[in-house]
Every structure is written in C-alpha cells, then in structure tokens.
Amino acid sequence: MKVFFLLCLLALGDAKPYQPINVMDFLRNYDIMMGDADDDDDNNIDDDDDDDDDEDEDCPAGCQCWPRVVQCSDQGLISVPEKIPEDTVMIDLQNNDITEIKEDDFKGLNTIYALFLINNKISKIHPKAFKNMDRLRLLYLSYNLLTEIPANLPRNILELRFHENRIARIKRDAFRGLRSLNVLELGANPLANSGIEPGAFDGMSTLYVGIAEAKLTAVPKDLPSSITELSLDYNKIAKIEVEDFIRYKNLQRLGLGFNQIKSVENGSFISIPNIREIHLDNNRLKKVPPGLSSLRYLQVIYLHVNKISSVGVNDFCPAQPSAKKNLYTGISLFANPVKYWNIQPATFRCVTGRRGVQLGNFRK
C-alpha cells in the first residue's frame, strides 16, 4: 500500500492538460497490493478466457469488459450505464458527457476500488451516490463542472481528485471522517483563501494537498497538519510570513512557483525542519530567502526567474563547518540579475558538484 501511494506522489506535479488515465496500469498496481489475497490466475486480465462471450453479455452496451474492469471511456455517454457487473473493481467513465451522478447509479457495486469520472460535464452528485461503497479508494472527478465537494464521501477513500472544476468554497466538515485520505487534489478551481471555511480539513491525515492554479493570495493556514507535500504554484501569493508553516511541521516538498512573492520573512522556514525541496521560481524575490542554510535536509531549491541581484556566501550553507547539512543536489539561480562572477566559490561549498548549480541566462 505504501509503495503504491509513493508512486502516486512521485507522479504528481504541476497541473497539465487533460490526459486519459490508463486503467490497466491502476489494475496492475491493485493486483500487486492484493497479492496476498485470494486472487488466482483465473482473475488475471491477461489470461485467455473461454467464457468471453458470457462476459460480454454482462457488459454495458458500448463498453469493454474484463474480469473486474468496465471500460466505458469516449462513448458519448450522458449518464452512468446500467448492467455494470457487481464484482467490478474499476470503472472507467472518462471523457464522456455525463452531467449528473444519481442516487442509484452505483447501487449494489460494493467492491469498487477505483472510479474514474474525469472529463465529463458533472455538475451534480446525489448525497447518497456513494452509499455502501466502503471499498472505494480512488475517486477521480477532475475536469467537470462541480461547484462543491460531494457529500458523504466513503470514509476509507485514499485519493480524491477535483482538479479543474468550479469549486469556490470548501465548507466546514467537507471531508469529515476521511481519516485515511492520502492525496487531495483541488488545483485549477476558483478557490480563494476566504473560500476555505475554518474546520474544512479537521480530522484528516492527508499527505499531499494540491491547490495550484487557484486564487490564493496567502498560504492557507488550516490545511491538514499531516501534509508532507504542498503544491500552491500558479497563485497570487505576495509574501511568506512566519506563521504560514507553523502547522505543517512534517512538510518535505513545497511548491510556490509562479506566484507574486516579493519577500520571505526571516524565520518562515524554521517550522519545517524536514523540508527537502522548495520551489520559489518565477516570483519577484530580490534576495535569497533567509534561513535556508539552517535547513539540514534541504537538497533542492528553485529560485530561477526572480529579481535576485546578489548572493551571500552563507545564504545556502551553514556558516559553521561543524553544522550538519545534507548536500544540495540542485540550486537554480538562472534568469536573475545576479552577476555570477561576483558570487564567491565558497557559497556553494555544500553542493554535490558544479552541475548542482545553475546560473546565468538573465535577460532584461
């Protein structure tokens, strides 16, 4: 389980145009996770099955079916099809014209592990649509027309994706009871700081939260305290303050690229001592953010495309040689007005090698 979600997290990045999900890849990961269960060769999707005709009889019209998988993508469907086999584990309904999820659309489908509804026209989901779907772990609703988080989401769900909808407000207790949720993607929604009600994320133990391409003007301060990765790229954040990360002590990767950040208050990063990677590229910084040299585990810092005109000898590395510090594998400073020949060589004494530093290429 942990390996599977590590792969999911590694695949996460800046938002990209819609690309279809390969359901079979997910099924293979599912098989790996369930390897100690009662699955046998008869359930393998790659096996030849003499009963293919019988399987087709139980398959929704216009769809393709394999043992445990129903694939109905790109069919121009306006509603969830009927006759979905009750033992289905994964349903692929990507790239259709479905506008609504009704109460009984998934009735009796209690073994579903993954439901892909990406790139439809869904604006309404019945409050009981996911009733009794206790085994649902992956729910992908990106690229739809939703204006709010669906009610009564399955409590054991592990991954939720709402990228590029019309969600402008997250109500209090919107994710109540989702204590197992690891990945929450909310990017490319018209979500401002004022749209996040206090208590919206209470009780969650989420590892990844993505709110890139939104309307945030500051770092949200009420996200789950458990997060290890936070993506806030492509927003309108203007500055970083000391209290911004006090709640997020477990943070390891921070994305703040493509904002409007002009300053970082001294001490802002003290609260995230385990941080490994910080993206502050494409902002308006005039100097290297203070406090980087005290971050023992920081290995990657992106500062390219800013307005940094000078770099101090201790901006990245501890002044005391005895201080413990992991070596940097990447420091990017290109597309800044800093004259690289004025930077002292000792500035990068805690970098793995010359290839770990990127300078130059500044254009007015």
Side-chain angles (χ1 to χ4, degrees):
M1 181 72 73
K2 291 182 179 179
V3 173
F4 174 72
F5 277 99
L6 178 60
L7 293 173
C8 287
L9 291 174
L10 290 175
L12 294 170
D14 293 334
K16 300 177 180 178
Y18 164 69
Q19 295 180 346
I21 294 292
N22 188 328
V23 175
M24 294 309 174
D25 287 343
F26 278 85
L27 186 62
R28 292 185 188 97
N29 284 322
Y30 174 82
D31 286 337
I32 291 172
M33 290 193 308
M34 302 301 291
D36 295 330
D38 294 331
D39 295 340
D40 55 31
D41 292 339
D42 290 337
N43 287 328
N44 195 307
I45 62 172
D46 294 323
D47 290 344
D48 291 330
D49 195 338
D50 294 334
D51 296 327
D52 283 343
D53 292 338
D54 294 336
E55 293 291 342
D56 289 340
E57 291 178 1
D58 295 330
C59 190
C63 301
Q64 291 181 300
C65 295
W66 295 269
R68 302 175 297 165
V69 177
V70 175
Q71 191 165 21
C72 305
S73 59
D74 301 276
Q75 296 298 314
L77 299 174
I78 60 173
S79 61
V80 175
E82 300 177 354
K83 292 183 61 179
I84 297 175
E86 291 186 357
D87 64 347
T88 299
V89 169
M90 295 189 184
I91 302 178
D92 178 11
L93 290 165
Q94 298 177 88
N95 201 28
N96 282 291
D97 296 316
I98 299 171
T99 59
E100 179 181 357
I101 303 299
K102 301 181 179 65
E103 179 178 359
D104 295 331
D105 278 348
F106 303 111
K107 185 177 181 180
L109 304 179
N110 301 330
T111 62
I112 296 179
Y113 171 86
L115 177 57
F116 303 106
L117 289 159
I118 304 170
N119 202 36
N120 277 275
K121 299 177 181 178
I122 300 169
S123 61
K124 183 179 180 181
I125 297 179
H126 192 279
K128 296 182 179 180
F130 305 117
K131 185 178 181 181
N132 298 325
M133 295 177 71
D134 296 333
R135 298 187 182 181
L136 184 64
R137 298 295 184 269
L138 310 180
L139 178 57
Y140 286 24
L141 282 158
S142 298
Y143 303 96
N144 277 287
L145 304 175
L146 293 170
T147 58
E148 61 183 4
I149 304 297
N152 302 317
L153 292 165
R155 295 199 170 190
N156 293 321
I157 203 158
L158 297 173
E159 187 172 346
L160 278 172
R161 293 185 181 272
F162 297 102
H163 181 84
E164 197 160 321
N165 276 270
R166 298 179 179 179
I167 299 171
R169 179 167 296 277
I170 300 179
K171 298 179 180 179
R172 180 180 179 85
D173 296 329
F175 304 104
R176 188 198 318 194
L178 305 188
R179 299 185 182 277
S180 299
L181 188 66
N182 284 344
V183 175
L184 177 60
E185 177 57 69
L186 291 163
N189 282 282
L191 187 62
N193 293 81
S194 59
I196 303 175
E197 294 186 3
F201 302 96
D202 282 357
M204 297 175 65
S205 58
T206 307
L207 299 178
Y208 169 88
V209 173
I211 317 180
E213 298 181 89
K215 294 185 177 181
L216 299 176
T217 55
V219 175
K221 298 178 177 61
D222 199 29
L223 299 174
S225 60
S226 56
I227 54 175
T228 59
E229 183 169 352
L230 177 60
S231 175
L232 300 174
D233 304 282
Y234 293 93
N235 275 285
K236 298 180 180 180
I237 299 172
K239 62 180 178 179
I240 303 299
E241 300 177 336
V242 172
E243 63 267 23
D244 283 348
F245 303 115
I246 290 177
R247 181 177 170 85
Y248 313 130
K249 300 183 184 302
N250 298 316
L251 204 59
Q252 295 183 20
R253 185 183 185 277
L254 174 62
L256 286 165
F258 292 91
N259 275 276
Q260 301 172 10
I261 299 171
K262 295 181 179 180
S263 64
V264 177
E265 284 188 5
N266 191 17
S268 295
F269 296 133
I270 291 177
S271 300
I272 49 174
N274 297 316
I275 194 73
R276 268 109 170 129
E277 184 171 335
I278 299 176
H279 292 231
L280 278 164
D281 55 286
N282 291 275
N283 277 285
R284 302 176 183 178
L285 294 170
K286 294 184 178 180
K287 62 180 181 179
V288 175
L292 297 181
S293 61
S294 66
L295 299 174
R296 176 179 176 179
Y297 300 103
L298 183 63
Q299 293 179 290
V300 176
I301 175 70
Y302 289 174
L303 293 168
H304 53 272
V305 195
N306 274 281
K307 298 181 179 181
I308 298 172
S309 58
S310 63
V311 177
V313 69
N314 295 320
D315 279 350
F316 298 104
C317 305
Q320 299 297 328
S322 59
K324 294 182 179 181
K325 173 75 176 75
N326 285 7
L327 295 179
Y328 287 94
T329 58
I331 297 177
S332 68
L333 283 163
F334 65 88
N336 277 286
V338 59
K339 294 181 174 64
Y340 66 86
W341 54 85
N342 288 336
I343 301 176
Q344 298 184 40
T347 300
F348 305 117
R349 60 190 177 275
C350 56
V351 183
T352 53
R354 288 186 299 175
R355 292 186 178 181
V357 181
Q358 297 179 7
L359 291 166
N361 299 323
F362 174 69
R363 295 180 181 179
K364 292 184 178 181

